[in-house]
Amino acid sequence: DAGITQSPRHKVTETGTPVTLRCHQTENHRYMYWYRQDPGHGLRLIHYSYGVKDTDKGEVSDGYSVSRSKTEDFLLTLESATSSQTSVYFCAINQGGGQPQHFGDGTRLSIL
Amino acid sequence: AQSVTQLDSQVPVFEEAPVELRCNYSSSVSVYLFWYVQYPNQGLQLLLKYLSGSTLVKGINGFEAEFNKSQTSFHLRKPSVHISDTAEYFCAVSDPSNDYKLSFGAGTTVTVRA
């Protein structure tokens, strides 16, 4: 398995609180991605990174921010969580150029 | 962005029967195509990929898929399923003109019954 670790694996929090999810890789891949998975929608891209300090928005970026200060770590932050952000969040990595993405095991986030 | 349609949301199938999962995408420009499988409470695992070359692609666990450029389809097949193939399957398209970002279908849940 690709060396991808997501933390935490589960989190329950309240509306309005900040939340940070972490993705850590040991593969030295250039690209890292954050997706959310919701029933009937497949996976939707939130943000991605193409290098240290280089990030860009995906199709559902509102309410989320990201940071990448090291090659191996990509953080996803919900500044003020809302119930609509209850979801399963997946991190993925790849070398770029259309190569397959490899996924972490996901973080199940519930916002009450 | 590419639009990816998986035509069946649920596919029940008996053990040892064949299965086909259908996937269509929106654009005829050159794209890269993938099928992923997700077992309960796990991440997505790559089943197979089409980047170029032969239109018939073989993957893990006995799965194969056929790329049809004129019909913009990438259907997944397995000639004989096992109980362990019960999972959700996702078709995904990577568009070089959109920084190779992946677009996913909504998923097909395959339930294999004895």
mmCIF file with all atom_site columns, all heavy atoms in Angstrom, chain B residues 15 17 21-22 27 33 38 43 47 52 57 62 65-67 70-71 74 79 84 87 90 94 97 108 110 114:
data_model
loop_
_atom_site.group_PDB
_atom_site.id
_atom_site.type_symbol
_atom_site.label_atom_id
_atom_site.label_alt_id
_atom_site.label_comp_id
_atom_site.label_asym_id
_atom_site.label_entity_id
_atom_site.label_seq_id
_atom_site.pdbx_PDB_ins_code
_atom_site.Cartn_x
_atom_site.Cartn_y
_atom_site.Cartn_z
_atom_site.occupancy
_atom_site.B_iso_or_equiv
_atom_site.pdbx_formal_charge
_atom_site.auth_seq_id
_atom_site.auth_comp_id
_atom_site.auth_asym_id
_atom_site.auth_atom_id
_atom_site.pdbx_PDB_model_num
ATOM 1   N N   . GLU B 1 15  ? -23.341 -15.233 -7.128  1.00 0.00 ? 15  GLU B N   1
ATOM 2   C CA  . GLU B 1 15  ? -21.969 -15.730 -7.157  1.00 0.00 ? 15  GLU B CA  1
ATOM 3   C C   . GLU B 1 15  ? -21.733 -16.587 -8.395  1.00 0.00 ? 15  GLU B C   1
ATOM 4   O O   . GLU B 1 15  ? -22.613 -17.350 -8.809  1.00 0.00 ? 15  GLU B O   1
ATOM 5   C CB  . GLU B 1 15  ? -21.705 -16.558 -5.899  1.00 0.00 ? 15  GLU B CB  1
ATOM 6   C CG  . GLU B 1 15  ? -20.248 -16.862 -5.632  1.00 0.00 ? 15  GLU B CG  1
ATOM 7   C CD  . GLU B 1 15  ? -20.022 -17.548 -4.291  1.00 0.00 ? 15  GLU B CD  1
ATOM 8   O OE1 . GLU B 1 15  ? -20.991 -18.131 -3.749  1.00 0.00 ? 15  GLU B OE1 1
ATOM 9   O OE2 . GLU B 1 15  ? -18.883 -17.498 -3.791  1.00 0.00 ? 15  GLU B OE2 1
ATOM 10  N N   . ALA B 1 17  ? -21.680 -15.641 -11.395 1.00 0.00 ? 17  ALA B N   1
ATOM 11  C CA  . ALA B 1 17  ? -22.275 -15.022 -12.588 1.00 0.00 ? 17  ALA B CA  1
ATOM 12  C C   . ALA B 1 17  ? -21.370 -13.900 -13.071 1.00 0.00 ? 17  ALA B C   1
ATOM 13  O O   . ALA B 1 17  ? -20.558 -13.373 -12.313 1.00 0.00 ? 17  ALA B O   1
ATOM 14  C CB  . ALA B 1 17  ? -23.660 -14.492 -12.261 1.00 0.00 ? 17  ALA B CB  1
ATOM 15  N N   . LEU B 1 21  ? -20.272 -3.320  -15.269 1.00 0.00 ? 21  LEU B N   1
ATOM 16  C CA  . LEU B 1 21  ? -20.579 -1.999  -14.725 1.00 0.00 ? 21  LEU B CA  1
ATOM 17  C C   . LEU B 1 21  ? -20.286 -0.969  -15.810 1.00 0.00 ? 21  LEU B C   1
ATOM 18  O O   . LEU B 1 21  ? -19.176 -0.942  -16.360 1.00 0.00 ? 21  LEU B O   1
ATOM 19  C CB  . LEU B 1 21  ? -19.727 -1.719  -13.484 1.00 0.00 ? 21  LEU B CB  1
ATOM 20  C CG  . LEU B 1 21  ? -19.738 -2.788  -12.389 1.00 0.00 ? 21  LEU B CG  1
ATOM 21  C CD1 . LEU B 1 21  ? -18.930 -2.317  -11.194 1.00 0.00 ? 21  LEU B CD1 1
ATOM 22  C CD2 . LEU B 1 21  ? -21.146 -3.167  -11.992 1.00 0.00 ? 21  LEU B CD2 1
ATOM 23  N N   . ARG B 1 22  ? -21.273 -0.126  -16.076 1.00 0.00 ? 22  ARG B N   1
ATOM 24  C CA  . ARG B 1 22  ? -21.159 0.783   -17.199 1.00 0.00 ? 22  ARG B CA  1
ATOM 25  C C   . ARG B 1 22  ? -20.729 2.180   -16.772 1.00 0.00 ? 22  ARG B C   1
ATOM 26  O O   . ARG B 1 22  ? -21.191 2.693   -15.745 1.00 0.00 ? 22  ARG B O   1
ATOM 27  C CB  . ARG B 1 22  ? -22.498 0.853   -17.941 1.00 0.00 ? 22  ARG B CB  1
ATOM 28  C CG  . ARG B 1 22  ? -22.905 -0.492  -18.559 1.00 0.00 ? 22  ARG B CG  1
ATOM 29  C CD  . ARG B 1 22  ? -24.261 -0.414  -19.194 1.00 0.00 ? 22  ARG B CD  1
ATOM 30  N NE  . ARG B 1 22  ? -25.321 -0.227  -18.199 1.00 0.00 ? 22  ARG B NE  1
ATOM 31  C CZ  . ARG B 1 22  ? -26.564 0.115   -18.508 1.00 0.00 ? 22  ARG B CZ  1
ATOM 32  N NH1 . ARG B 1 22  ? -26.899 0.328   -19.779 1.00 0.00 ? 22  ARG B NH1 1
ATOM 33  N NH2 . ARG B 1 22  ? -27.473 0.238   -17.559 1.00 0.00 ? 22  ARG B NH2 1
ATOM 34  N N   . SER B 1 27  ? -16.531 13.890  -22.632 1.00 0.00 ? 27  SER B N   1
ATOM 35  C CA  . SER B 1 27  ? -15.760 14.517  -23.696 1.00 0.00 ? 27  SER B CA  1
ATOM 36  C C   . SER B 1 27  ? -14.974 13.491  -24.489 1.00 0.00 ? 27  SER B C   1
ATOM 37  O O   . SER B 1 27  ? -14.492 12.508  -23.927 1.00 0.00 ? 27  SER B O   1
ATOM 38  C CB  . SER B 1 27  ? -14.796 15.543  -23.135 1.00 0.00 ? 27  SER B CB  1
ATOM 39  O OG  . SER B 1 27  ? -13.952 16.054  -24.152 1.00 0.00 ? 27  SER B OG  1
ATOM 40  N N   . LEU B 1 33  ? -8.305  6.972   -17.981 1.00 0.00 ? 33  LEU B N   1
ATOM 41  C CA  . LEU B 1 33  ? -9.482  6.375   -17.365 1.00 0.00 ? 33  LEU B CA  1
ATOM 42  C C   . LEU B 1 33  ? -9.088  5.370   -16.302 1.00 0.00 ? 33  LEU B C   1
ATOM 43  O O   . LEU B 1 33  ? -8.099  4.634   -16.463 1.00 0.00 ? 33  LEU B O   1
ATOM 44  C CB  . LEU B 1 33  ? -10.325 5.683   -18.443 1.00 0.00 ? 33  LEU B CB  1
ATOM 45  C CG  . LEU B 1 33  ? -10.834 6.617   -19.541 1.00 0.00 ? 33  LEU B CG  1
ATOM 46  C CD1 . LEU B 1 33  ? -11.173 5.845   -20.796 1.00 0.00 ? 33  LEU B CD1 1
ATOM 47  C CD2 . LEU B 1 33  ? -12.059 7.375   -19.043 1.00 0.00 ? 33  LEU B CD2 1
ATOM 48  N N   . GLN B 1 38  ? -13.977 0.241   -3.645  1.00 0.00 ? 38  GLN B N   1
ATOM 49  C CA  . GLN B 1 38  ? -13.963 0.636   -2.234  1.00 0.00 ? 38  GLN B CA  1
ATOM 50  C C   . GLN B 1 38  ? -14.707 -0.410  -1.414  1.00 0.00 ? 38  GLN B C   1
ATOM 51  O O   . GLN B 1 38  ? -15.916 -0.585  -1.577  1.00 0.00 ? 38  GLN B O   1
ATOM 52  C CB  . GLN B 1 38  ? -14.614 2.008   -2.052  1.00 0.00 ? 38  GLN B CB  1
ATOM 53  C CG  . GLN B 1 38  ? -14.546 2.513   -0.617  1.00 0.00 ? 38  GLN B CG  1
ATOM 54  C CD  . GLN B 1 38  ? -15.176 3.876   -0.459  1.00 0.00 ? 38  GLN B CD  1
ATOM 55  O OE1 . GLN B 1 38  ? -16.146 4.216   -1.136  1.00 0.00 ? 38  GLN B OE1 1
ATOM 56  N NE2 . GLN B 1 38  ? -14.639 4.676   0.442   1.00 0.00 ? 38  GLN B NE2 1
ATOM 57  N N   . GLY B 1 43  ? -10.401 2.976   2.085   1.00 0.00 ? 43  GLY B N   1
ATOM 58  C CA  . GLY B 1 43  ? -10.164 3.920   1.010   1.00 0.00 ? 43  GLY B CA  1
ATOM 59  C C   . GLY B 1 43  ? -10.372 3.269   -0.344  1.00 0.00 ? 43  GLY B C   1
ATOM 60  O O   . GLY B 1 43  ? -10.813 2.123   -0.438  1.00 0.00 ? 43  GLY B O   1
ATOM 61  N N   . LEU B 1 47  ? -8.265  -0.563  -9.407  1.00 0.00 ? 47  LEU B N   1
ATOM 62  C CA  . LEU B 1 47  ? -8.525  -1.846  -10.061 1.00 0.00 ? 47  LEU B CA  1
ATOM 63  C C   . LEU B 1 47  ? -7.766  -1.937  -11.373 1.00 0.00 ? 47  LEU B C   1
ATOM 64  O O   . LEU B 1 47  ? -7.151  -2.955  -11.682 1.00 0.00 ? 47  LEU B O   1
ATOM 65  C CB  . LEU B 1 47  ? -10.015 -1.983  -10.384 1.00 0.00 ? 47  LEU B CB  1
ATOM 66  C CG  . LEU B 1 47  ? -10.943 -2.648  -9.391  1.00 0.00 ? 47  LEU B CG  1
ATOM 67  C CD1 . LEU B 1 47  ? -12.352 -2.690  -9.969  1.00 0.00 ? 47  LEU B CD1 1
ATOM 68  C CD2 . LEU B 1 47  ? -10.477 -4.053  -9.060  1.00 0.00 ? 47  LEU B CD2 1
ATOM 69  N N   . SER B 1 52  ? -3.047  4.547   -22.463 1.00 0.00 ? 52  SER B N   1
ATOM 70  C CA  . SER B 1 52  ? -2.891  4.523   -23.917 1.00 0.00 ? 52  SER B CA  1
ATOM 71  C C   . SER B 1 52  ? -2.757  3.060   -24.331 1.00 0.00 ? 52  SER B C   1
ATOM 72  O O   . SER B 1 52  ? -2.712  2.163   -23.484 1.00 0.00 ? 52  SER B O   1
ATOM 73  C CB  . SER B 1 52  ? -1.664  5.319   -24.369 1.00 0.00 ? 52  SER B CB  1
ATOM 74  O OG  . SER B 1 52  ? -0.488  4.703   -23.878 1.00 0.00 ? 52  SER B OG  1
ATOM 75  N N   . VAL B 1 57  ? -8.234  -3.529  -21.215 1.00 0.00 ? 57  VAL B N   1
ATOM 76  C CA  . VAL B 1 57  ? -7.303  -3.375  -20.100 1.00 0.00 ? 57  VAL B CA  1
ATOM 77  C C   . VAL B 1 57  ? -7.617  -4.420  -19.044 1.00 0.00 ? 57  VAL B C   1
ATOM 78  O O   . VAL B 1 57  ? -8.775  -4.569  -18.651 1.00 0.00 ? 57  VAL B O   1
ATOM 79  C CB  . VAL B 1 57  ? -7.420  -1.971  -19.481 1.00 0.00 ? 57  VAL B CB  1
ATOM 80  C CG1 . VAL B 1 57  ? -6.457  -1.824  -18.323 1.00 0.00 ? 57  VAL B CG1 1
ATOM 81  C CG2 . VAL B 1 57  ? -7.175  -0.904  -20.532 1.00 0.00 ? 57  VAL B CG2 1
ATOM 82  N N   . GLY B 1 62  ? -9.168  -10.293 -11.501 1.00 0.00 ? 62  GLY B N   1
ATOM 83  C CA  . GLY B 1 62  ? -9.909  -10.822 -12.642 1.00 0.00 ? 62  GLY B CA  1
ATOM 84  C C   . GLY B 1 62  ? -10.780 -9.823  -13.377 1.00 0.00 ? 62  GLY B C   1
ATOM 85  O O   . GLY B 1 62  ? -11.540 -10.195 -14.270 1.00 0.00 ? 62  GLY B O   1
ATOM 86  N N   . ALA B 1 65  ? -11.561 -4.027  -18.426 1.00 0.00 ? 65  ALA B N   1
ATOM 87  C CA  . ALA B 1 65  ? -12.402 -2.942  -18.919 1.00 0.00 ? 65  ALA B CA  1
ATOM 88  C C   . ALA B 1 65  ? -12.035 -2.665  -20.364 1.00 0.00 ? 65  ALA B C   1
ATOM 89  O O   . ALA B 1 65  ? -10.899 -2.872  -20.792 1.00 0.00 ? 65  ALA B O   1
ATOM 90  C CB  . ALA B 1 65  ? -12.216 -1.691  -18.077 1.00 0.00 ? 65  ALA B CB  1
ATOM 91  N N   . GLU B 1 66  ? -13.028 -2.170  -21.111 1.00 0.00 ? 66  GLU B N   1
ATOM 92  C CA  . GLU B 1 66  ? -12.815 -1.855  -22.513 1.00 0.00 ? 66  GLU B CA  1
ATOM 93  C C   . GLU B 1 66  ? -13.064 -0.386  -22.763 1.00 0.00 ? 66  GLU B C   1
ATOM 94  O O   . GLU B 1 66  ? -14.142 0.136   -22.439 1.00 0.00 ? 66  GLU B O   1
ATOM 95  C CB  . GLU B 1 66  ? -13.709 -2.691  -23.416 1.00 0.00 ? 66  GLU B CB  1
ATOM 96  C CG  . GLU B 1 66  ? -13.388 -2.492  -24.893 1.00 0.00 ? 66  GLU B CG  1
ATOM 97  C CD  . GLU B 1 66  ? -13.828 -3.653  -25.749 1.00 0.00 ? 66  GLU B CD  1
ATOM 98  O OE1 . GLU B 1 66  ? -14.650 -4.464  -25.293 1.00 0.00 ? 66  GLU B OE1 1
ATOM 99  O OE2 . GLU B 1 66  ? -13.330 -3.747  -26.886 1.00 0.00 ? 66  GLU B OE2 1
ATOM 100 N N   . PHE B 1 67  ? -12.075 0.274   -23.333 1.00 0.00 ? 67  PHE B N   1
ATOM 101 C CA  . PHE B 1 67  ? -12.168 1.684   -23.692 1.00 0.00 ? 67  PHE B CA  1
ATOM 102 C C   . PHE B 1 67  ? -12.750 1.798   -25.088 1.00 0.00 ? 67  PHE B C   1
ATOM 103 O O   . PHE B 1 67  ? -12.280 1.164   -26.033 1.00 0.00 ? 67  PHE B O   1
ATOM 104 C CB  . PHE B 1 67  ? -10.767 2.306   -23.643 1.00 0.00 ? 67  PHE B CB  1
ATOM 105 C CG  . PHE B 1 67  ? -10.667 3.671   -24.262 1.00 0.00 ? 67  PHE B CG  1
ATOM 106 C CD1 . PHE B 1 67  ? -11.467 4.708   -23.807 1.00 0.00 ? 67  PHE B CD1 1
ATOM 107 C CD2 . PHE B 1 67  ? -9.765  3.918   -25.283 1.00 0.00 ? 67  PHE B CD2 1
ATOM 108 C CE1 . PHE B 1 67  ? -11.369 5.970   -24.374 1.00 0.00 ? 67  PHE B CE1 1
ATOM 109 C CE2 . PHE B 1 67  ? -9.654  5.177   -25.849 1.00 0.00 ? 67  PHE B CE2 1
ATOM 110 C CZ  . PHE B 1 67  ? -10.453 6.209   -25.399 1.00 0.00 ? 67  PHE B CZ  1
ATOM 111 N N   . SER B 1 70  ? -15.175 6.227   -29.407 1.00 0.00 ? 70  SER B N   1
ATOM 112 C CA  . SER B 1 70  ? -16.291 6.796   -30.161 1.00 0.00 ? 70  SER B CA  1
ATOM 113 C C   . SER B 1 70  ? -17.553 6.891   -29.309 1.00 0.00 ? 70  SER B C   1
ATOM 114 O O   . SER B 1 70  ? -18.362 7.799   -29.476 1.00 0.00 ? 70  SER B O   1
ATOM 115 C CB  . SER B 1 70  ? -16.563 5.970   -31.417 1.00 0.00 ? 70  SER B CB  1
ATOM 116 O OG  . SER B 1 70  ? -16.941 4.653   -31.067 1.00 0.00 ? 70  SER B OG  1
ATOM 117 N N   . GLN B 1 71  ? -17.701 5.960   -28.370 1.00 0.00 ? 71  GLN B N   1
ATOM 118 C CA  . GLN B 1 71  ? -18.860 5.984   -27.488 1.00 0.00 ? 71  GLN B CA  1
ATOM 119 C C   . GLN B 1 71  ? -18.548 6.620   -26.132 1.00 0.00 ? 71  GLN B C   1
ATOM 120 O O   . GLN B 1 71  ? -19.417 6.661   -25.257 1.00 0.00 ? 71  GLN B O   1
ATOM 121 C CB  . GLN B 1 71  ? -19.390 4.556   -27.284 1.00 0.00 ? 71  GLN B CB  1
ATOM 122 C CG  . GLN B 1 71  ? -19.900 3.922   -28.572 1.00 0.00 ? 71  GLN B CG  1
ATOM 123 C CD  . GLN B 1 71  ? -20.587 2.596   -28.348 1.00 0.00 ? 71  GLN B CD  1
ATOM 124 O OE1 . GLN B 1 71  ? -20.795 2.168   -27.215 1.00 0.00 ? 71  GLN B OE1 1
ATOM 125 N NE2 . GLN B 1 71  ? -20.937 1.928   -29.432 1.00 0.00 ? 71  GLN B NE2 1
ATOM 126 N N   . PHE B 1 74  ? -16.224 3.333   -20.843 1.00 0.00 ? 74  PHE B N   1
ATOM 127 C CA  . PHE B 1 74  ? -15.153 2.535   -20.231 1.00 0.00 ? 74  PHE B CA  1
ATOM 128 C C   . PHE B 1 74  ? -15.834 1.566   -19.277 1.00 0.00 ? 74  PHE B C   1
ATOM 129 O O   . PHE B 1 74  ? -15.823 1.740   -18.071 1.00 0.00 ? 74  PHE B O   1
ATOM 130 C CB  . PHE B 1 74  ? -14.158 3.454   -19.512 1.00 0.00 ? 74  PHE B CB  1
ATOM 131 C CG  . PHE B 1 74  ? -12.883 2.791   -19.058 1.00 0.00 ? 74  PHE B CG  1
ATOM 132 C CD1 . PHE B 1 74  ? -12.096 2.075   -19.948 1.00 0.00 ? 74  PHE B CD1 1
ATOM 133 C CD2 . PHE B 1 74  ? -12.441 2.917   -17.752 1.00 0.00 ? 74  PHE B CD2 1
ATOM 134 C CE1 . PHE B 1 74  ? -10.909 1.480   -19.543 1.00 0.00 ? 74  PHE B CE1 1
ATOM 135 C CE2 . PHE B 1 74  ? -11.246 2.328   -17.326 1.00 0.00 ? 74  PHE B CE2 1
ATOM 136 C CZ  . PHE B 1 74  ? -10.484 1.613   -18.222 1.00 0.00 ? 74  PHE B CZ  1
ATOM 137 N N   . PRO B 1 79  ? -15.970 -11.971 -15.510 1.00 0.00 ? 79  PRO B N   1
ATOM 138 C CA  . PRO B 1 79  ? -16.736 -13.110 -16.021 1.00 0.00 ? 79  PRO B CA  1
ATOM 139 C C   . PRO B 1 79  ? -17.397 -13.965 -14.942 1.00 0.00 ? 79  PRO B C   1
ATOM 140 O O   . PRO B 1 79  ? -18.401 -14.617 -15.208 1.00 0.00 ? 79  PRO B O   1
ATOM 141 C CB  . PRO B 1 79  ? -15.700 -13.931 -16.802 1.00 0.00 ? 79  PRO B CB  1
ATOM 142 C CG  . PRO B 1 79  ? -14.375 -13.456 -16.357 1.00 0.00 ? 79  PRO B CG  1
ATOM 143 C CD  . PRO B 1 79  ? -14.534 -12.084 -15.823 1.00 0.00 ? 79  PRO B CD  1
ATOM 144 N N   . SER B 1 84  ? -16.578 -11.999 -2.262  1.00 0.00 ? 84  SER B N   1
ATOM 145 C CA  . SER B 1 84  ? -15.613 -10.966 -1.855  1.00 0.00 ? 84  SER B CA  1
ATOM 146 C C   . SER B 1 84  ? -15.582 -9.762  -2.794  1.00 0.00 ? 84  SER B C   1
ATOM 147 O O   . SER B 1 84  ? -14.924 -8.765  -2.484  1.00 0.00 ? 84  SER B O   1
ATOM 148 C CB  . SER B 1 84  ? -14.211 -11.569 -1.765  1.00 0.00 ? 84  SER B CB  1
ATOM 149 O OG  . SER B 1 84  ? -13.836 -12.126 -3.016  1.00 0.00 ? 84  SER B OG  1
ATOM 150 N N   . ALA B 1 87  ? -18.778 -4.693  -3.061  1.00 0.00 ? 87  ALA B N   1
ATOM 151 C CA  . ALA B 1 87  ? -18.068 -3.435  -2.805  1.00 0.00 ? 87  ALA B CA  1
ATOM 152 C C   . ALA B 1 87  ? -18.728 -2.340  -3.631  1.00 0.00 ? 87  ALA B C   1
ATOM 153 O O   . ALA B 1 87  ? -19.650 -2.586  -4.405  1.00 0.00 ? 87  ALA B O   1
ATOM 154 C CB  . ALA B 1 87  ? -16.593 -3.559  -3.185  1.00 0.00 ? 87  ALA B CB  1
ATOM 155 N N   . PHE B 1 90  ? -16.012 2.709   -8.508  1.00 0.00 ? 90  PHE B N   1
ATOM 156 C CA  . PHE B 1 90  ? -16.027 4.072   -9.041  1.00 0.00 ? 90  PHE B CA  1
ATOM 157 C C   . PHE B 1 90  ? -15.233 4.148   -10.336 1.00 0.00 ? 90  PHE B C   1
ATOM 158 O O   . PHE B 1 90  ? -14.091 3.673   -10.407 1.00 0.00 ? 90  PHE B O   1
ATOM 159 C CB  . PHE B 1 90  ? -15.399 5.047   -8.041  1.00 0.00 ? 90  PHE B CB  1
ATOM 160 C CG  . PHE B 1 90  ? -16.203 5.241   -6.792  1.00 0.00 ? 90  PHE B CG  1
ATOM 161 C CD1 . PHE B 1 90  ? -15.922 4.513   -5.649  1.00 0.00 ? 90  PHE B CD1 1
ATOM 162 C CD2 . PHE B 1 90  ? -17.249 6.151   -6.759  1.00 0.00 ? 90  PHE B CD2 1
ATOM 163 C CE1 . PHE B 1 90  ? -16.650 4.684   -4.497  1.00 0.00 ? 90  PHE B CE1 1
ATOM 164 C CE2 . PHE B 1 90  ? -17.998 6.330   -5.608  1.00 0.00 ? 90  PHE B CE2 1
ATOM 165 C CZ  . PHE B 1 90  ? -17.697 5.598   -4.478  1.00 0.00 ? 90  PHE B CZ  1
ATOM 166 N N   . SER B 1 94  ? -9.383  11.301  -15.897 1.00 0.00 ? 94  SER B N   1
ATOM 167 C CA  . SER B 1 94  ? -8.364  12.336  -15.716 1.00 0.00 ? 94  SER B CA  1
ATOM 168 C C   . SER B 1 94  ? -8.188  13.085  -17.024 1.00 0.00 ? 94  SER B C   1
ATOM 169 O O   . SER B 1 94  ? -7.922  12.475  -18.063 1.00 0.00 ? 94  SER B O   1
ATOM 170 C CB  . SER B 1 94  ? -7.047  11.688  -15.290 1.00 0.00 ? 94  SER B CB  1
ATOM 171 O OG  . SER B 1 94  ? -6.006  12.639  -15.247 1.00 0.00 ? 94  SER B OG  1
ATOM 172 N N   . SER B 1 97  ? -6.227  18.373  -20.092 1.00 0.00 ? 97  SER B N   1
ATOM 173 C CA  . SER B 1 97  ? -6.448  19.800  -20.318 1.00 0.00 ? 97  SER B CA  1
ATOM 174 C C   . SER B 1 97  ? -6.922  20.514  -19.055 1.00 0.00 ? 97  SER B C   1
ATOM 175 O O   . SER B 1 97  ? -7.062  21.737  -19.053 1.00 0.00 ? 97  SER B O   1
ATOM 176 C CB  . SER B 1 97  ? -7.479  20.000  -21.429 1.00 0.00 ? 97  SER B CB  1
ATOM 177 O OG  . SER B 1 97  ? -8.756  19.573  -20.994 1.00 0.00 ? 97  SER B OG  1
ATOM 178 N N   . THR B 1 108 ? -21.112 2.601   -8.215  1.00 0.00 ? 108 THR B N   1
ATOM 179 C CA  . THR B 1 108 ? -22.026 1.471   -8.386  1.00 0.00 ? 108 THR B CA  1
ATOM 180 C C   . THR B 1 108 ? -21.769 0.479   -7.269  1.00 0.00 ? 108 THR B C   1
ATOM 181 O O   . THR B 1 108 ? -20.634 0.032   -7.098  1.00 0.00 ? 108 THR B O   1
ATOM 182 C CB  . THR B 1 108 ? -21.814 0.767   -9.740  1.00 0.00 ? 108 THR B CB  1
ATOM 183 O OG1 . THR B 1 108 ? -22.075 1.677   -10.804 1.00 0.00 ? 108 THR B OG1 1
ATOM 184 C CG2 . THR B 1 108 ? -22.740 -0.442  -9.863  1.00 0.00 ? 108 THR B CG2 1
ATOM 185 N N   . VAL B 1 110 ? -22.045 -3.072  -5.893  1.00 0.00 ? 110 VAL B N   1
ATOM 186 C CA  . VAL B 1 110 ? -22.230 -4.458  -6.335  1.00 0.00 ? 110 VAL B CA  1
ATOM 187 C C   . VAL B 1 110 ? -22.433 -5.340  -5.114  1.00 0.00 ? 110 VAL B C   1
ATOM 188 O O   . VAL B 1 110 ? -21.605 -5.322  -4.192  1.00 0.00 ? 110 VAL B O   1
ATOM 189 C CB  . VAL B 1 110 ? -21.018 -4.950  -7.146  1.00 0.00 ? 110 VAL B CB  1
ATOM 190 C CG1 . VAL B 1 110 ? -21.155 -6.439  -7.452  1.00 0.00 ? 110 VAL B CG1 1
ATOM 191 C CG2 . VAL B 1 110 ? -20.868 -4.138  -8.427  1.00 0.00 ? 110 VAL B CG2 1
ATOM 192 N N   . ALA B 1 114 ? -24.958 -15.509 -2.637  1.00 0.00 ? 114 ALA B N   1
ATOM 193 C CA  . ALA B 1 114 ? -24.682 -16.945 -2.855  1.00 0.00 ? 114 ALA B CA  1
ATOM 194 C C   . ALA B 1 114 ? -25.848 -17.630 -3.561  1.00 0.00 ? 114 ALA B C   1
ATOM 195 O O   . ALA B 1 114 ? -26.998 -17.182 -3.442  1.00 0.00 ? 114 ALA B O   1
ATOM 196 C CB  . ALA B 1 114 ? -24.419 -17.636 -1.514  1.00 0.00 ? 114 ALA B CB  1
#
